[in-house]
Amino acid sequence: MTVPLRPPLLVQRPSKALLAGMVVSSLLALVVLAVMLWRGGPVGFGLSLLLALAPLPVLLAAVLSLDRLEPEPKLHLAFAFAWGAGVAIVLGVALTLAGQALFTSAGYGARVVDSMGTVFLAPVIEEALKGSALLLLLRRRREIDGLTDGIVYASMAGLGFAAVENVGYYLSAFLQNGVGATVQLFVMRGLIDPLGHPVYTSMIGLGVAYALTRRGAARYAMVPLGYLAAVVLHGLWNGAAATQSLGWLAAAYLVIMTALVLLVVVAVRERRQLVAKMGAYLPAYQQTGLIAPQDLAMLGSLPGRARARRWARRAGIGRAMSDYQHAATELTMLHLRAEREGMEPGRFAAERDALLGAMAHARRW
Protein backbone atom coordinates (compact mmCIF):
# COMPACT_ATOMS: atom_id res chain seq x y z
CA MET A 1 0.00 0.00 0.00
CA THR A 2 1.29 3.48 -0.89
CA VAL A 3 1.40 5.93 1.98
CA PRO A 4 0.82 9.57 0.95
CA LEU A 5 3.75 11.87 1.63
CA ARG A 6 1.48 14.64 2.93
CA PRO A 7 -1.48 14.30 5.29
CA PRO A 8 -4.62 14.22 3.13
CA LEU A 9 -6.25 17.01 5.11
CA LEU A 10 -3.40 19.39 4.31
CA VAL A 11 -3.61 18.80 0.56
CA GLN A 12 -6.13 21.31 -0.77
CA ARG A 13 -8.37 20.21 -3.63
CA PRO A 14 -8.11 22.84 -6.37
CA SER A 15 -11.29 24.83 -6.93
CA LYS A 16 -12.29 24.85 -10.59
CA ALA A 17 -13.86 28.29 -10.22
CA LEU A 18 -10.70 29.74 -8.68
CA LEU A 19 -8.53 28.07 -11.30
CA ALA A 20 -10.71 29.51 -14.06
CA GLY A 21 -10.64 32.96 -12.46
CA MET A 22 -6.87 32.82 -12.12
CA VAL A 23 -6.42 31.77 -15.76
CA VAL A 24 -8.73 34.50 -17.07
CA SER A 25 -7.08 37.13 -14.87
CA SER A 26 -3.59 36.02 -15.90
CA LEU A 27 -4.51 36.17 -19.59
CA LEU A 28 -5.91 39.68 -19.16
CA ALA A 29 -2.70 40.76 -17.42
CA LEU A 30 -0.65 39.33 -20.30
CA VAL A 31 -2.83 41.18 -22.82
CA VAL A 32 -2.27 44.47 -20.97
CA LEU A 33 1.48 43.86 -20.86
CA ALA A 34 1.49 42.96 -24.57
CA VAL A 35 -0.24 46.24 -25.40
CA MET A 36 2.36 48.11 -23.35
CA LEU A 37 5.16 46.30 -25.20
CA TRP A 38 3.62 47.25 -28.56
CA ARG A 39 3.17 50.85 -27.44
CA GLY A 40 6.55 51.41 -25.82
CA GLY A 41 8.94 49.11 -27.66
CA PRO A 42 11.28 46.52 -26.15
CA VAL A 43 13.68 48.97 -24.46
CA GLY A 44 11.11 51.11 -22.67
CA PHE A 45 8.92 48.14 -21.83
CA GLY A 46 11.87 46.06 -20.62
CA LEU A 47 13.09 48.81 -18.31
CA SER A 48 9.57 49.46 -17.00
CA LEU A 49 8.91 45.77 -16.38
CA LEU A 50 12.24 45.35 -14.61
CA LEU A 51 11.60 48.31 -12.30
CA ALA A 52 8.03 47.16 -11.57
CA LEU A 53 9.16 43.63 -10.66
CA ALA A 54 12.34 44.58 -8.76
CA PRO A 55 10.73 45.23 -5.34
CA LEU A 56 8.09 42.51 -5.73
CA PRO A 57 9.98 39.58 -4.09
CA VAL A 58 10.63 41.66 -0.97
CA LEU A 59 7.02 42.90 -0.85
CA LEU A 60 5.62 39.38 -1.29
CA ALA A 61 7.91 38.09 1.45
CA ALA A 62 6.76 40.88 3.77
CA VAL A 63 3.08 40.10 3.18
CA LEU A 64 3.49 36.33 3.44
CA SER A 65 5.50 36.69 6.66
CA LEU A 66 2.22 37.72 8.30
CA ASP A 67 0.80 34.35 7.23
CA ARG A 68 3.43 32.01 8.68
CA LEU A 69 1.36 30.59 11.54
CA GLU A 70 -1.54 29.32 9.44
CA PRO A 71 -0.50 29.58 5.77
CA GLU A 72 -3.29 30.18 3.27
CA PRO A 73 -3.64 27.86 0.23
CA LYS A 74 -1.23 28.88 -2.51
CA LEU A 75 -4.01 28.69 -5.12
CA HIS A 76 -6.10 31.26 -3.25
CA LEU A 77 -3.14 33.60 -2.83
CA ALA A 78 -2.27 33.24 -6.52
CA PHE A 79 -5.90 33.93 -7.46
CA ALA A 80 -5.96 37.16 -5.42
CA PHE A 81 -2.69 38.34 -7.00
CA ALA A 82 -3.81 37.47 -10.54
CA TRP A 83 -7.21 39.09 -9.99
CA GLY A 84 -5.53 42.36 -9.04
CA ALA A 85 -3.10 42.16 -11.96
CA GLY A 86 -5.70 41.24 -14.58
CA VAL A 87 -9.41 41.76 -14.01
CA ALA A 88 -9.02 44.70 -11.64
CA ILE A 89 -6.57 46.48 -13.95
CA VAL A 90 -8.60 46.02 -17.14
CA LEU A 91 -11.97 46.90 -15.65
CA GLY A 92 -10.44 49.71 -13.59
CA VAL A 93 -8.99 51.42 -16.66
CA ALA A 94 -12.17 50.85 -18.71
CA LEU A 95 -14.55 52.14 -16.05
CA THR A 96 -12.37 55.13 -15.15
CA LEU A 97 -12.16 56.15 -18.80
CA ALA A 98 -15.91 55.71 -19.16
CA GLY A 99 -16.49 57.90 -16.10
CA GLN A 100 -14.16 60.58 -17.43
CA ALA A 101 -15.99 60.49 -20.75
CA LEU A 102 -19.25 61.22 -18.89
CA PHE A 103 -17.68 64.27 -17.21
CA THR A 104 -16.33 65.45 -20.57
CA SER A 105 -19.75 65.09 -22.21
CA ALA A 106 -21.22 67.13 -19.34
CA GLY A 107 -19.01 70.03 -20.39
CA TYR A 108 -16.17 69.87 -17.87
CA GLY A 109 -12.70 70.86 -19.03
CA ALA A 110 -9.77 68.50 -19.47
CA ARG A 111 -8.09 69.56 -16.23
CA VAL A 112 -11.20 68.98 -14.12
CA VAL A 113 -11.85 65.64 -15.84
CA ASP A 114 -8.26 64.57 -15.15
CA SER A 115 -8.55 65.52 -11.48
CA MET A 116 -11.90 63.75 -11.08
CA GLY A 117 -10.46 60.61 -12.64
CA THR A 118 -7.37 60.61 -10.44
CA VAL A 119 -8.76 61.70 -7.09
CA PHE A 120 -12.32 60.36 -7.17
CA LEU A 121 -13.05 57.82 -9.92
CA ALA A 122 -9.83 55.77 -9.69
CA PRO A 123 -10.00 55.17 -5.90
CA VAL A 124 -13.73 54.38 -5.96
CA ILE A 125 -13.49 51.99 -8.92
CA GLU A 126 -10.11 50.38 -8.26
CA GLU A 127 -10.75 49.62 -4.60
CA ALA A 128 -14.12 48.05 -5.44
CA LEU A 129 -12.47 45.84 -8.05
CA LYS A 130 -9.48 44.81 -5.93
CA GLY A 131 -11.70 44.22 -2.92
CA SER A 132 -14.04 42.02 -4.96
CA ALA A 133 -11.33 39.33 -4.81
CA LEU A 134 -12.17 39.01 -1.09
CA LEU A 135 -15.88 38.72 -1.84
CA LEU A 136 -15.23 35.99 -4.42
CA LEU A 137 -13.27 34.05 -1.80
CA LEU A 138 -16.26 34.11 0.57
CA ARG A 139 -17.54 30.93 -1.10
CA ARG A 140 -14.63 29.21 0.62
CA ARG A 141 -15.17 31.16 3.80
CA ARG A 142 -13.42 28.75 6.14
CA GLU A 143 -10.14 29.96 4.62
CA ILE A 144 -10.69 33.39 6.21
CA ASP A 145 -10.36 32.54 9.89
CA GLY A 146 -9.11 35.85 11.18
CA LEU A 147 -8.29 39.46 10.43
CA THR A 148 -4.79 38.54 9.27
CA ASP A 149 -6.23 36.37 6.49
CA GLY A 150 -8.20 39.35 5.20
CA ILE A 151 -5.07 41.52 5.26
CA VAL A 152 -3.03 38.89 3.38
CA TYR A 153 -5.57 38.25 0.61
CA ALA A 154 -6.23 41.97 0.13
CA SER A 155 -2.51 42.71 0.04
CA MET A 156 -1.97 40.07 -2.63
CA ALA A 157 -4.66 41.66 -4.80
CA GLY A 158 -3.09 45.07 -4.20
CA LEU A 159 0.40 43.84 -5.10
CA GLY A 160 -0.86 42.29 -8.35
CA PHE A 161 -2.61 45.52 -9.29
CA ALA A 162 0.38 47.69 -8.40
CA ALA A 163 2.84 45.52 -10.36
CA VAL A 164 1.00 45.93 -13.67
CA GLU A 165 -0.02 49.54 -13.02
CA ASN A 166 3.59 50.48 -12.30
CA VAL A 167 4.72 49.09 -15.64
CA GLY A 168 2.29 51.51 -17.30
CA TYR A 169 3.42 54.49 -15.19
CA TYR A 170 7.12 53.82 -15.75
CA LEU A 171 6.57 53.33 -19.47
CA SER A 172 4.70 56.64 -19.76
CA ALA A 173 7.52 58.42 -17.93
CA PHE A 174 10.08 56.80 -20.25
CA LEU A 175 8.22 57.78 -23.41
CA GLN A 176 7.69 61.35 -22.26
CA ASN A 177 10.93 62.21 -20.47
CA GLY A 178 13.42 59.36 -20.81
CA VAL A 179 15.32 57.12 -18.41
CA GLY A 180 15.97 59.75 -15.75
CA ALA A 181 12.29 60.48 -15.23
CA THR A 182 11.52 56.76 -15.14
CA VAL A 183 14.08 56.10 -12.41
CA GLN A 184 12.85 59.12 -10.47
CA LEU A 185 9.29 57.79 -10.59
CA PHE A 186 10.55 54.36 -9.51
CA VAL A 187 12.10 55.90 -6.41
CA MET A 188 8.70 57.36 -5.48
CA ARG A 189 6.45 54.41 -6.38
CA GLY A 190 8.80 51.46 -5.99
CA LEU A 191 10.94 52.47 -3.02
CA ILE A 192 9.20 55.20 -1.00
CA ASP A 193 5.58 54.04 -1.35
CA PRO A 194 5.59 50.44 -2.64
CA LEU A 195 2.85 49.27 -0.26
CA GLY A 196 0.22 51.86 -1.15
CA HIS A 197 -2.20 49.57 -2.96
CA PRO A 198 -1.84 46.69 -0.45
CA VAL A 199 -2.50 49.07 2.45
CA TYR A 200 -5.59 50.61 0.80
CA THR A 201 -7.18 47.28 -0.07
CA SER A 202 -6.27 45.78 3.32
CA MET A 203 -8.92 48.06 4.80
CA ILE A 204 -11.48 46.07 2.79
CA GLY A 205 -9.79 42.83 3.83
CA LEU A 206 -10.17 43.82 7.48
CA GLY A 207 -13.85 44.62 6.98
CA VAL A 208 -14.62 41.34 5.21
CA ALA A 209 -12.63 39.27 7.73
CA TYR A 210 -14.29 41.04 10.66
CA ALA A 211 -17.73 40.30 9.22
CA LEU A 212 -16.84 36.61 8.85
CA THR A 213 -15.24 36.09 12.25
CA ARG A 214 -17.47 38.06 14.59
CA ARG A 215 -21.05 37.74 15.78
CA GLY A 216 -23.99 40.10 15.52
CA ALA A 217 -25.66 41.75 12.54
CA ALA A 218 -23.62 44.95 13.02
CA ARG A 219 -20.49 43.12 11.88
CA TYR A 220 -21.61 43.41 8.25
CA ALA A 221 -21.31 47.18 8.46
CA MET A 222 -17.53 46.71 8.61
CA VAL A 223 -17.43 45.74 4.91
CA PRO A 224 -18.64 49.12 3.55
CA LEU A 225 -16.66 50.92 6.27
CA GLY A 226 -13.52 49.10 5.19
CA TYR A 227 -14.23 50.01 1.58
CA LEU A 228 -14.73 53.66 2.54
CA ALA A 229 -11.40 53.67 4.42
CA ALA A 230 -9.66 52.18 1.36
CA VAL A 231 -11.14 54.82 -0.94
CA VAL A 232 -10.20 57.65 1.44
CA LEU A 233 -6.57 56.48 1.76
CA HIS A 234 -6.27 55.95 -1.99
CA GLY A 235 -7.86 59.29 -2.80
CA LEU A 236 -5.71 61.07 -0.21
CA TRP A 237 -2.50 59.83 -1.83
CA ASN A 238 -3.68 60.51 -5.39
CA GLY A 239 -4.85 63.98 -4.42
CA ALA A 240 -1.55 64.79 -2.70
CA ALA A 241 0.38 63.53 -5.74
CA ALA A 242 -1.78 65.67 -8.03
CA THR A 243 -0.88 68.82 -6.07
CA GLN A 244 2.85 68.09 -6.51
CA SER A 245 3.30 69.58 -3.05
CA LEU A 246 5.92 67.96 -0.82
CA GLY A 247 3.92 69.03 2.24
CA TRP A 248 0.75 67.30 1.08
CA LEU A 249 2.70 64.23 -0.04
CA ALA A 250 4.41 64.02 3.36
CA ALA A 251 1.07 64.31 5.18
CA ALA A 252 -0.55 61.64 3.01
CA TYR A 253 2.47 59.37 3.39
CA LEU A 254 2.33 59.73 7.18
CA VAL A 255 -1.35 58.72 7.21
CA ILE A 256 -0.70 55.69 5.00
CA MET A 257 2.30 54.58 7.08
CA THR A 258 0.18 54.90 10.22
CA ALA A 259 -2.39 52.61 8.60
CA LEU A 260 0.41 50.17 7.73
CA VAL A 261 1.66 50.10 11.32
CA LEU A 262 -1.88 49.45 12.56
CA LEU A 263 -2.23 46.53 10.12
CA VAL A 264 1.00 44.99 11.39
CA VAL A 265 -0.12 45.48 15.01
CA VAL A 266 -3.42 43.74 14.24
CA ALA A 267 -1.63 40.78 12.63
CA VAL A 268 0.95 40.39 15.41
CA ARG A 269 -1.67 40.69 18.14
CA GLU A 270 -3.91 38.14 16.46
CA ARG A 271 -0.99 35.73 16.03
CA ARG A 272 -0.14 35.97 19.72
CA GLN A 273 -3.77 35.41 20.70
CA LEU A 274 -3.95 32.29 18.53
CA VAL A 275 -0.76 30.88 20.03
CA ALA A 276 -2.15 31.54 23.51
CA LYS A 277 -5.38 29.71 22.60
CA MET A 278 -3.35 26.59 21.85
CA GLY A 279 -2.53 26.42 25.54
CA ALA A 280 -6.27 26.34 26.27
CA TYR A 281 -7.40 23.69 23.76
CA LEU A 282 -4.51 21.35 23.02
CA PRO A 283 -3.76 19.97 26.53
CA ALA A 284 -7.00 17.97 26.30
CA TYR A 285 -5.39 15.90 23.52
CA GLN A 286 -2.38 14.74 25.53
CA GLN A 287 -4.20 11.49 26.24
CA THR A 288 -4.10 10.66 22.52
CA GLY A 289 -0.31 10.46 22.69
CA LEU A 290 -0.03 12.94 19.83
CA ILE A 291 0.83 15.93 22.01
CA ALA A 292 3.47 15.63 24.69
CA PRO A 293 4.21 18.37 27.25
CA GLN A 294 7.27 19.45 25.24
CA ASP A 295 5.05 19.71 22.15
CA LEU A 296 2.69 22.01 24.03
CA ALA A 297 5.60 24.23 25.04
CA MET A 298 6.86 24.29 21.45
CA LEU A 299 3.47 25.00 19.86
CA GLY A 300 2.66 27.74 22.36
CA SER A 301 5.68 29.87 21.47
CA LEU A 302 6.56 31.45 18.12
CA PRO A 303 10.32 31.24 18.81
CA GLY A 304 9.80 27.66 20.02
CA ARG A 305 8.05 26.71 16.79
CA ALA A 306 10.88 28.22 14.75
CA ARG A 307 13.52 26.34 16.79
CA ALA A 308 11.60 23.09 16.32
CA ARG A 309 11.50 23.57 12.55
CA ARG A 310 15.25 24.23 12.46
CA TRP A 311 15.93 21.10 14.51
CA ALA A 312 13.59 19.07 12.29
CA ARG A 313 15.32 20.25 9.11
CA ARG A 314 18.66 19.12 10.49
CA ALA A 315 17.10 15.77 11.39
CA GLY A 316 15.62 15.37 7.90
CA ILE A 317 11.98 15.72 9.01
CA GLY A 318 11.44 19.40 8.30
CA ARG A 319 8.28 18.85 6.24
CA ALA A 320 6.83 16.57 8.91
CA MET A 321 7.37 19.20 11.61
CA SER A 322 5.75 21.90 9.46
CA ASP A 323 2.77 19.64 8.80
CA TYR A 324 2.45 18.80 12.50
CA GLN A 325 2.49 22.47 13.50
CA HIS A 326 0.03 23.31 10.73
CA ALA A 327 -2.42 20.58 11.79
CA ALA A 328 -2.16 21.58 15.47
CA THR A 329 -2.85 25.19 14.54
CA GLU A 330 -5.84 24.13 12.42
CA LEU A 331 -7.13 22.07 15.35
CA THR A 332 -7.03 25.16 17.56
CA MET A 333 -8.82 27.19 14.90
CA LEU A 334 -11.43 24.45 14.56
CA HIS A 335 -12.28 24.91 18.25
CA LEU A 336 -12.45 28.68 17.79
CA ARG A 337 -14.69 28.29 14.73
CA ALA A 338 -16.97 25.88 16.61
CA GLU A 339 -17.32 28.38 19.45
CA ARG A 340 -18.05 31.19 17.02
CA GLU A 341 -20.44 29.41 14.65
CA GLY A 342 -21.98 26.72 16.85
CA MET A 343 -20.73 23.88 14.64
CA GLU A 344 -22.79 20.67 14.39
CA PRO A 345 -21.17 18.04 16.68
CA GLY A 346 -20.84 15.38 13.98
CA ARG A 347 -19.06 17.76 11.63
CA PHE A 348 -16.79 18.98 14.42
CA ALA A 349 -15.85 15.42 15.34
CA ALA A 350 -15.10 14.52 11.71
CA GLU A 351 -12.84 17.53 11.19
CA ARG A 352 -11.17 17.04 14.58
CA ASP A 353 -10.41 13.38 13.85
CA ALA A 354 -9.03 14.26 10.42
CA LEU A 355 -6.67 16.80 11.98
CA LEU A 356 -5.58 14.34 14.64
CA GLY A 357 -4.92 11.86 11.85
CA ALA A 358 -2.75 14.45 10.09
CA MET A 359 -0.83 15.03 13.31
CA ALA A 360 -0.33 11.29 13.76
CA HIS A 361 0.93 10.98 10.20
CA ALA A 362 3.42 13.82 10.68
CA ARG A 363 4.71 13.13 14.21
CA ARG A 364 8.05 11.29 14.00
CA TRP A 365 9.84 12.26 17.20
Side-chain angles (χ1 to χ4, degrees):
M1 181 176 69
T2 301
V3 178
L5 295 178
R6 299 291 308 279
L9 187 76
L10 301 183
V11 179
Q12 298 290 329
R13 175 177 294 179
S15 163
K16 293 180 180 178
L18 285 182
L19 282 172
M22 189 168 66
V23 169
V24 170
S25 294
S26 300
L27 289 175
L28 287 174
L30 289 175
V31 169
V32 172
L33 293 174
V35 170
M36 292 179 185
L37 172 60
W38 171 79
R39 172 175 167 246
V43 175
F45 175 78
L47 175 63
S48 300
L49 183 64
L50 177 64
L51 293 177
L53 295 181
L56 196 55
V58 175
L59 299 177
L60 286 171
V63 170
L64 294 178
S65 68
L66 301 176
D67 195 36
R68 289 181 301 165
L69 194 59
E70 190 244 339
E72 298 306 305
K74 292 182 176 61
L75 173 62
H76 296 182
L77 295 172
F79 165 79
F81 185 90
W83 181 269
V87 171
I89 281 283
V90 171
L91 291 182
V93 170
L95 292 175
T96 300
L97 290 175
Q100 288 179 307
L102 288 177
F103 282 109
T104 300
S105 64
Y108 292 97
R111 187 172 180 178
V112 172
V113 169
D114 255 1
S115 296
M116 290 298 293
T118 301
V119 181
F120 177 72
L121 290 177
V124 168
I125 293 169
E126 291 173 5
E127 294 311 319
L129 290 168
K130 288 184 291 175
S132 62
L134 276 293
L135 300 180
L136 291 170
L137 286 167
L138 291 185
R139 291 188 59 219
R140 299 176 73 84
R141 57 188 298 162
R142 65 170 292 172
E143 297 301 342
I144 301 180
D145 288 311
L147 301 181
T148 303
D149 293 346
I151 294 172
V152 169
Y153 282 123
S155 295
M156 292 299 289
L159 285 175
F161 187 96
V164 176
E165 183 186 55
N166 281 344
V167 176
Y169 275 115
Y170 298 152
L171 184 59
S172 293
F174 176 84
L175 294 175
Q176 292 173 17
N177 299 300
V179 174
T182 307
V183 173
Q184 185 177 1
L185 184 60
F186 166 72
V187 171
M188 174 60 72
R189 296 185 65 88
L191 298 181
I192 295 178
D193 186 41
L195 287 171
H197 279 289
V199 170
Y200 312 149
T201 313
S202 287
M203 299 297 108
I204 303 174
L206 278 179
V208 171
Y210 188 94
L212 286 175
T213 58
R214 299 299 189 273
R215 295 180 179 178
R219 71 184 192 267
Y220 294 110
M222 293 303 295
V223 178
L225 286 176
Y227 171 67
L228 179 61
V231 170
V232 169
L233 287 175
H234 195 160
L236 177 65
W237 177 257
N238 283 8
T243 66
Q244 297 185 340
S245 163
L246 287 178
W248 278 107
L249 277 171
Y253 187 75
L254 179 62
V255 172
I256 293 168
M257 288 301 102
T258 300
L260 174 60
V261 170
L262 289 175
L263 290 172
V264 173
V265 168
V266 167
V268 171
R269 182 170 179 269
E270 188 172 65
R271 182 189 297 173
R272 288 177 177 170
Q273 288 176 337
L274 178 57
V275 168
K277 286 291 185 180
M278 292 181 185
Y281 294 121
L282 296 185
Y285 294 98
Q286 291 186 81
Q287 60 187 2
T288 67
L290 298 175
I291 301 179
Q294 59 267 30
D295 295 323
L296 285 174
M298 175 267 291
L299 291 167
S301 161
L302 290 173
R305 292 165 74 105
R307 286 194 299 270
R309 290 193 298 273
R310 288 195 296 270
W311 168 83
R313 284 194 293 271
R314 291 194 297 269
I317 54 173
R319 174 60 68 182
M321 178 60 75
S322 294
D323 286 346
Y324 180 82
Q325 292 182 353
H326 185 184
T329 304
E330 290 285 356
L331 181 59
T332 302
M333 301 193 80
L334 175 65
H335 278 275
L336 292 171
R337 200 159 54 244
E339 283 186 0
R340 184 173 67 238
E341 300 173 6
M343 190 179 295
E344 193 270 324
R347 178 186 164 198
F348 173 84
E351 294 193 25
R352 176 201 62 202
D353 293 346
L355 287 165
L356 291 173
M359 293 171 68
H361 182 93
R363 198 176 191 279
R364 303 174 193 174
W365 52 90

